[in-house]
DNA sequence: TATAGGTGTTTGTATTTCACAAACCATCGA
DNA sequence: TCGATGGTTTGTGAAATACAAACACCTATA
């Protein structure tokens, strides 16, 4: 349980008191409301007293926040414990559907999983972390139960095939920022933990057009990833297939998989560019 | 687009000024923050000025709210338009995973879709509306593209097989409340729109143990549903399979499907009761 | 190249609204 | 019956927010 929220919610909040001039004012009350949302997630639901101790706020304050969130339908009360409601799921599904990469890429990813029989992922980047937009399990996929049911979290970009494919196509300064912000924590002994090594790897990925995760996240698991960029060269996200190293490494099969992945990424790109006739794609922030 | 949010976000907010004594205080600032979230959903992203007109708030106020939501990572800014972020999806996935019915029922539902080849749904109730927790498309499933990709929304309970199975096992006064609150709008000419008809139907459903949606939501589509209750008799949600009337109505096949659906619901119930050894299940609100 | 009109952003300040503590009210078990 | 442990309500001072107006920036157009 300790690992769960280590890097997830980001660093400690800075309330308005200590705000440097020139940066936007933020509303304490709103921030607290989201502190409560986070707390409810971290505690898997809780009562008023528990939350008031956890957040160091008076009981009545917590009660008022919960009542408000409840009236907004983002929180439900079961007996005396408050929980986050399915409203979050509904809004979440809306947001996902808004995402062009998901909308266009979903069915292609399903085809990819079907064709290869392996496990396929569709990911994008937000706030310097990777978010899985969709996963499909192919016929041969192993550990699929673990992978499908694993809780969906934002995770580091530097140790997954999807993540590295994205990093390779972000502007260098953005990658620098991400590394500064989150570091390069290791998951296995193969994880890239050195900054220069990472930049070399990203260079390689750019040259050959696909990324490889060689047991860098989970021992025994290899993944092949490819970026999806729009016509302006901005990376929208990436896809990957993954499976046990033993199978994935067999050379003909390996080549064939690379082919399939890169090809699928390409098809998605084409379809996206057909939809997005001529909109601008400004940079995220 | 008009239909989209007709009944979704609920009725107009009542701020604290006009609060009847004895009901909890609610925080204006928090409510406004969620007004912004709603607005961003309704407008599919928007700029400061647009939002300030839409919500009748001053530009600077909107700007401050957006800045706060952004610092909480629930909103991103692309160029000059603000959008809801994937954070909602992540929290939503967490909430879904917290749901016992989803956690236990998911794989059983997949089996059901596989066995029958039809389209299968797993749904629950919240705030008097139905929420789909999961959907799987079987081999033979038709219109599956529409159904899978259809935007996930909370919808009325009275015209779906899953919804009616749930209603049939809620306390009468709760059903009364729901009907008072949302009415019985019709989707096709077969939709039940009369209160007494509905209660009779629910009685029938309770007696025979499954529900039927006979082109009440979509012309040409039939669905068979069954409730999932815990050992205390509280309904946790329901499942269904659906397909074209022509196929679904063939009598042997029909019987067989009913059998499969009821059976699956049963298996889920057993598994849930094994997990939830002896917790109380208080009533929602 | 200047200018008008459209953005998003910043600031000062009045005043609304929130935070706190303490009282209150259930429920449960000893 | 009593005490302990929750959640809920209320009055009031202190602090955070809402507003308007000024600002900076961009783009189109004269």
């Amino acid at each position: 349980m300790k690992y769960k929220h280590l890097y997830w919610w980001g660093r400690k909040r800075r309330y308005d008191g200590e705000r440097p001039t020139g940066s936007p004012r933020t509303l304490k009350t709103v921030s607290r409301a989201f502190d409560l949302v986070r707390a409810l997630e971290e505690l898997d639901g809780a009562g008023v007293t528990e939350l008031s101790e956890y957040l160091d706020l008076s009981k009545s304050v917590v009660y008022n926040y919960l009542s408000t969130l409840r009236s907004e339908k983002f929180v439900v009360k079961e007996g005396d414990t408050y929980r986050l409601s399915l409203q979050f799921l509904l809004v979440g599904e809306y947001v996902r559907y808004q995402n062009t990469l998901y909308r266009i890429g979903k069915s292609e990813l399903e085809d990819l999983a079907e064709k290869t029989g392996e496990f396929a992922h569709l990911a994008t980047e937000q706030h310097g972390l990777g978010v899985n937009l969709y996963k499909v399990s192919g016929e041969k996929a192993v550990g699929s139960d673990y992978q499908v049911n694993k809780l969906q979290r934002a995770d580091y970009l530097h140790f997954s095939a999807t993540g590295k494919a994205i990093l390779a196509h972000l502007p260098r300064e953005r990658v620098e920022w991400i590394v500064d912000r989150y570091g390069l924590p290791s998951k296995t002994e193969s994880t890239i933990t050195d900054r220069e090594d990472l930049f070399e790897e990203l260079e390689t990925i750019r040259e050959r057009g696909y990324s490889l995760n060689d047991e860098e996240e989970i021992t025994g698991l290899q993944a092949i990833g490819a970026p999806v960029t729009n016509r302006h060269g901005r990376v929208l996200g990436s896809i990957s297939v993954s499976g046990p190293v033993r199978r994935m490494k067999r050379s003909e099969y390996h080549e064939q998989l690379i082919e399939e992945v890169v090809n699928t990424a390409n098809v998605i790109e084409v379809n996206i560019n057909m939809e997005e006739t001529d909109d601008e794609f400004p940079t995220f922030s």
Side-chain angles (χ1 to χ4, degrees), chain A residues 107-125:
Chain A
S107 63
E108 298 300 333
L109 200 78
E110 283 161 355
D111 292 351
L112 179 64
E114 169 119 8
K115 248 185 282 184
T116 61
E118 305 287 355
F119 206 93
H121 283 252
L122 177 64
T124 191
E125 180 261 332

Side-chain angles (χ1 to χ4, degrees), chain A residues 46-94:
Chain A
V48 175
T49 309
E50 189 179 358
L51 285 166
S52 106
E53 282 161 12
Y54 190 77
L55 295 169
D56 197 32
L57 288 169
S58 78
K59 280 204 301 178
S60 55
V61 169
V62 170
Y63 179 74
N64 287 337
Y65 277 92
L66 289 172
S67 299
T68 312
L69 288 169
R70 200 144 86 91
S71 86
E72 299 296 331
K73 303 196 175 166
F74 280 87
V75 160
V76 288
K77 186 182 167 193
E78 300 170 24
D80 274 346
T81 81
Y82 291 82
R83 297 182 183 286
L84 299 181
S85 85
L86 289 169
Q87 195 81 5
F88 279 102
L89 180 61
L90 296 170
V91 178
E93 290 284 333
Y94 157 80

Side-chain angles (χ1 to χ4, degrees), chain A residues 9-15 18 35 38 181:
Chain A
W9 285 110
R11 63 186 140 197
K12 257 228 162 109
R13 195 158 336 290
R14 191 219 263 329
Y15 285 129
E18 30 177 324
D35 287 345
R38 274 183 285 274
R181 171 86 165 75

Side-chain angles (χ1 to χ4, degrees), chain A residues 11-282:
Chain A
R11 63 186 140 197
K12 257 228 162 109
R13 195 158 336 290
R14 191 219 263 329
Y15 285 129
D16 204 49
E18 30 177 324
R19 173 178 59 92
T21 53
S23 80
R25 294 182 185 176
T26 86
L27 308 183
K28 235 175 178 159
T29 311
V30 176
S31 293
R32 278 212 195 114
F34 283 99
D35 287 345
L36 265 148
V37 169
R38 274 183 285 274
L40 285 174
E41 171 168 348
E42 282 158 18
L43 300 171
D44 286 341
V48 175
T49 309
E50 189 179 358
L51 285 166
S52 106
E53 282 161 12
Y54 190 77
L55 295 169
D56 197 32
L57 288 169
S58 78
K59 280 204 301 178
S60 55
V61 169
V62 170
Y63 179 74
N64 287 337
Y65 277 92
L66 289 172
S67 299
T68 312
L69 288 169
R70 200 144 86 91
S71 86
E72 299 296 331
K73 303 196 175 166
F74 280 87
V75 160
V76 288
K77 186 182 167 193
E78 300 170 24
D80 274 346
T81 81
Y82 291 82
R83 297 182 183 286
L84 299 181
S85 85
L86 289 169
Q87 195 81 5
F88 279 102
L89 180 61
L90 296 170
V91 178
E93 290 284 333
Y94 157 80
V95 173
R96 167 152 68 178
Y97 196 75
Q98 281 295 107
N99 185 295
T100 312
L101 178 58
Y102 171 76
R103 232 181 22 255
I104 310 283
K106 184 173 187 291
S107 63
E108 298 300 333
L109 200 78
E110 283 161 355
D111 292 351
L112 179 64
E114 169 119 8
K115 248 185 282 184
T116 61
E118 305 287 355
F119 206 93
H121 283 252
L122 177 64
T124 191
E125 180 261 332
Q126 198 150 95
H127 308 296
L129 297 174
V131 177
N132 282 329
L133 288 171
Y134 192 54
K135 339 183 200 182
V136 216
S137 171
E139 285 292 317
K140 295 185 290 185
V142 289
S144 71
D145 220 54
Y146 164 74
Q147 291 194 62
V148 175
N149 293 321
K150 195 183 76 162
L151 250 179
Q152 171 81 16
R153 307 268 60 163
D155 214 338
Y156 296 105
L157 290 163
H158 70 282
F159 53 51
S160 63
T162 47
K164 293 200 292 180
I166 292 171
L167 285 178
H169 295 266
L170 287 175
R172 165 125 194 170
E173 62 271 20
R174 175 118 179 102
V175 181
E176 299 273 13
W177 179 86
I178 292 171
V179 176
D180 288 343
R181 171 86 165 75
Y182 297 104
L184 297 169
S186 77
K187 283 273 276 201
T188 72
E189 50 185 20
S190 306
T191 310
I192 297 173
T193 55
D194 178 80
R195 199 185 190 97
E196 273 322 301
D197 291 351
L198 179 65
F199 279 106
E200 275 175 36
E201 168 81 349
L202 298 183
E203 180 59 31
T204 313
I205 292 169
R206 270 191 298 276
E207 280 165 11
R208 72 183 175 205
Y210 64 89
S211 64
L212 226 56
N213 161 4
D214 223 336
E215 306 188 68
E216 293 158 46
E217 182 176 8
I218 293 160
T219 312
L221 198 82
Q222 190 182 70
I224 300 165
V228 177
T229 58
N230 69 0
R231 100 171 62 78
H232 308 292
R234 196 170 88 78
V235 59
L236 302 176
S238 60
I239 61 171
S240 75
V241 295
S242 49
V245 255
R246 238 199 310 210
R247 179 164 72 219
M248 301 284 285
K249 269 195 166 151
R250 283 185 4 235
S251 87
E252 299 160 58
Y253 187 58
H254 191 77
E255 294 305 319
Q256 188 195 326
L257 281 181
I258 291 171
E259 176 71 20
E260 296 279 15
V261 172
V262 172
N263 191 45
T264 302
N266 238 283
V267 171
I268 297 174
E269 282 177 352
V270 171
N271 288 334
I272 286 176
N273 288 333
M274 283 175 68
E275 164 156 304
E276 310 274 339
T277 13
D278 46 3
D279 308 349
E280 271 304 289
F281 254 94

